[in-house]
Amino acid sequence: GDIPESVFAMFQMTFAIITPALIVGAFAERIKFSAVLIFSSIWLLLVYIPITHWVWGGGWLGEMGLLDFAGGTVVHVTAGVG
């Protein structure tokens, strides 16, 4: 059985939330919270979304045979880029 698309989207968003949290730990309490939100939003659009497409959206990494069931590749690669 297929899962509902809304459940899959929430599953994907957990990784989109966790990954900037890893990055923010490097500069926690050094910048304003509004700057963290701006950084996280821009980072999500410029870094996270393209790489998730490479892995899960039929992109070149997925076509090479990369299997990432739990999101570890996406989270760790994008946290390193951030």
Side-chain angles (χ1 to χ4, degrees):
D2 292 334
I3 60 170
E5 195 166 330
S6 60
V7 173
F8 183 69
M10 286 189 294
F11 174 73
Q12 298 290 338
M13 288 307 295
T14 59
F15 299 112
I17 293 167
I18 291 168
T19 308
L22 293 171
I23 299 167
V24 168
F27 51 82
E29 298 182 8
R30 296 182 196 163
I31 62 174
K32 293 182 180 181
F33 184 67
S34 59
V36 170
L37 293 177
I38 292 168
F39 167 80
S40 296
S41 299
I42 293 170
W43 178 88
L44 178 76
L45 293 172
L46 297 179
V47 176
Y48 187 80
I49 290 175
I51 293 178
T52 56
H53 177 73
W54 295 349
V55 175
W56 292 321
W60 64 276
L61 288 174
E63 289 179 1
M64 289 178 58
L66 176 71
L67 297 176
D68 185 14
F69 298 111
T73 301
V74 171
V75 169
H76 291 98
V77 168
T78 57
V81 171

